[in-house]
Amino acid sequence: MASEIKIKYEEEFILNSRGKRLFSSRWIPENENPKALIFMCHGYAMECSMTMQSTATRLAKGGFAVYGLDYEGHGKSDGLFGLVNKFENIVDDCFHHFSTICEKEENRNKMRYLLGESMGGAVALLLHRKNPHYWDGAILAAPMCKMADDIRPNAIMVTILSGLSKIFPTWQIVPGQDINEIAFKLPEVRQQIKANKYCYKGKPRLKTAFELNRVCTEFEQRLNEVSLPFLVLHGEEDRVTDKAVSKQLYDVASSTDKTLKLYPGMWHGLLFGEPPENLDIVFKDIISWIEERSRYGNTRLERELKQQNEDFVKTSY
């Protein structure tokens, strides 16, 4: 009988290009070589080391090295709490940190996967767009490609947001439902998030609401540009992000390797907000998907080596 994998947890602060300290965390299998690298992109108002700890632990016990980063203005990182001043800043910070890990000598031959939950799904897809051939695949849990209609600002509110966010970007006056109440099925999970001082609980700031709406609107028009292998997961009872757009992503993405899983009766928080039996189903699908692709071999690495050889031949003449 195989021994249980022991997990080593570590954390540190790194500096981004704007001089802000960002909190990073990692869960590494201690008694075996990691099968692959998984980079977590957390949701809006969330953080990695506590709310996504169970997610990371499950994956690490499956033999994967897991890394997380609290975005600026989120969790234990610097920045005004709950403010997304520019979505592209989040993407740049994640790419710099994640790629630094990927380029370490011990990691260069390992496959790289993004795991994006809710807003983190948008971050993962923008990381893919930033460098389309860098990642080996993405797991997108209820990705924020479009907010559900009952929490999305109407056209008049979008116009107001656009104007006011330029003048009063940090104001916390955007109306809307308490996302916590409609995202996570289990009351005890909702209570844990309420008690977590690193999870933002105020009303969305004007600039944050504008940025989230801007990114969602743009995504709807560019879903066909997604080309990496992906697994998209969505609860049938999700009231936060639109499952119809996850279906649309699956239909129109140019990826040749794509999988869609819809879960009857499940809510938005698929990774830590569901009963244990539902979480077992979701993580079995995630781990099986990654392991199946890992068995095919590292096609990205083969492609990179081929390109290096071609470049060498060109420069030799």
Side-chain angles (χ1 to χ4, degrees):
M1 183 176 178
S3 60
E4 182 177 351
I5 295 176
K6 295 180 180 179
I7 307 304
K8 178 171 65 174
Y9 173 73
E10 298 176 327
E11 56 188 43
E12 66 178 331
F13 284 92
I14 63 169
L15 279 181
N16 68 12
S17 61
R18 298 172 301 286
K20 301 289 187 181
R21 293 195 320 155
L22 304 182
F23 179 81
S24 67
S25 44
R26 53 186 174 269
W27 295 257
I28 310 295
E30 204 167 15
N31 51 338
E32 71 171 50
N33 188 34
K35 300 175 185 176
L37 313 177
I38 300 178
F39 298 95
M40 297 193 303
C41 304
H42 66 75
Y44 165 69
M46 297 289 109
E47 48 79 52
C48 284
S49 63
M50 295 171 71
T51 56
M52 297 194 77
Q53 182 180 30
S54 60
T55 295
T57 301
R58 278 179 178 261
L59 295 172
K61 286 185 175 180
F64 305 102
V66 185
Y67 301 85
L69 183 70
D70 291 359
Y71 314 140
E72 183 176 327
H74 286 72
K76 301 173 187 176
S77 292
D78 288 349
L80 184 61
F81 208 23
L83 176 64
V84 177
N85 190 53
K86 187 178 181 183
F87 210 89
E88 286 74 13
N89 287 346
I90 293 176
V91 176
D92 289 344
D93 290 343
C94 286
F95 188 83
H96 179 265
H97 180 55
F98 295 165
S99 63
T100 298
I101 294 167
C102 291
E103 299 304 331
K104 290 183 176 181
E105 186 64 35
E106 66 269 25
N107 291 332
R108 285 183 181 170
N109 293 337
K110 290 185 172 63
M111 298 185 77
R112 315 157 178 168
Y113 295 95
L114 299 166
L115 171 61
E117 186 260 342
S118 194
M119 186 185 91
V123 174
L125 289 174
L126 285 172
L127 283 166
H128 161 56
R129 186 185 299 171
K130 185 178 179 70
N131 193 330
H133 301 296
Y134 195 81
W135 310 101
D136 294 300
I139 301 95
L140 309 169
M144 190 195 76
C145 298
K146 179 183 177 182
M147 289 179 277
D149 289 338
D150 58 351
I151 67 167
R152 187 176 189 173
N154 59 37
I156 296 175
M157 182 57 68
V158 170
T159 302
I160 295 172
L161 282 176
S162 178
L164 287 179
S165 66
K166 297 173 184 176
I167 307 170
F168 309 108
T170 65
W171 277 15
Q172 300 166 277
I173 61 171
V174 179
Q177 297 186 51
D178 183 347
I179 300 298
N180 187 41
E181 291 298 319
I182 61 175
F184 307 104
K185 181 183 291 184
L186 293 183
E188 55 266 36
V189 173
R190 298 198 293 269
Q191 189 56 44
Q192 289 170 12
I193 291 173
K194 286 180 182 178
N196 184 345
K197 66 179 181 179
Y198 298 110
C199 292
Y200 178 74
K201 321 235 180 14
K203 290 183 179 179
R205 299 183 186 278
L206 281 170
K207 189 61 184 295
T208 300
F210 174 76
E211 284 293 295
L212 298 188
N213 186 72
R214 175 181 70 83
V215 169
C216 283
T217 301
E218 180 184 333
F219 263 130
E220 287 183 72
Q221 309 302 318
R222 302 181 65 176
L223 295 176
N224 63 303
E225 296 178 12
V226 176
S227 59
L228 85 170
F230 68 82
L231 167 66
V232 60
L233 316 165
H234 222 118
E236 291 273 15
E237 303 301 320
D238 192 332
R239 295 168 57 197
V240 179
T241 58
D242 194 337
K243 66 183 179 184
V245 182
S246 283
K247 294 178 183 177
Q248 185 181 354
L249 170 64
Y250 173 78
D251 289 337
V252 307
S254 59
S255 307
T256 56
D257 179 359
K258 49 187 177 180
T259 305
L260 171 65
K261 294 278 187 178
L262 296 175
Y263 300 102
M266 295 196 199
W267 289 23
H268 180 69
L270 291 174
L271 301 182
F272 51 87
E274 290 286 326
E277 61 272 19
N278 287 352
L279 293 178
D280 288 342
I281 293 171
V282 171
F283 279 96
K284 181 181 178 182
D285 288 340
I286 292 173
I287 292 174
S288 295
W289 186 85
I290 297 175
E291 288 185 337
E292 183 179 352
R293 273 133 200 90
S294 298
R295 285 197 295 269
Y296 294 153
N298 196 328
T299 55
R300 171 190 49 78
L301 182 62
E302 292 172 3
R303 184 175 62 246
E304 289 174 356
L305 291 173
K306 180 181 178 183
Q307 184 63 50
Q308 290 173 11
N309 290 334
E310 290 175 354
D311 292 342
F312 176 77
V313 170
K314 288 178 183 177
T315 57
S316 298
Y317 290 95

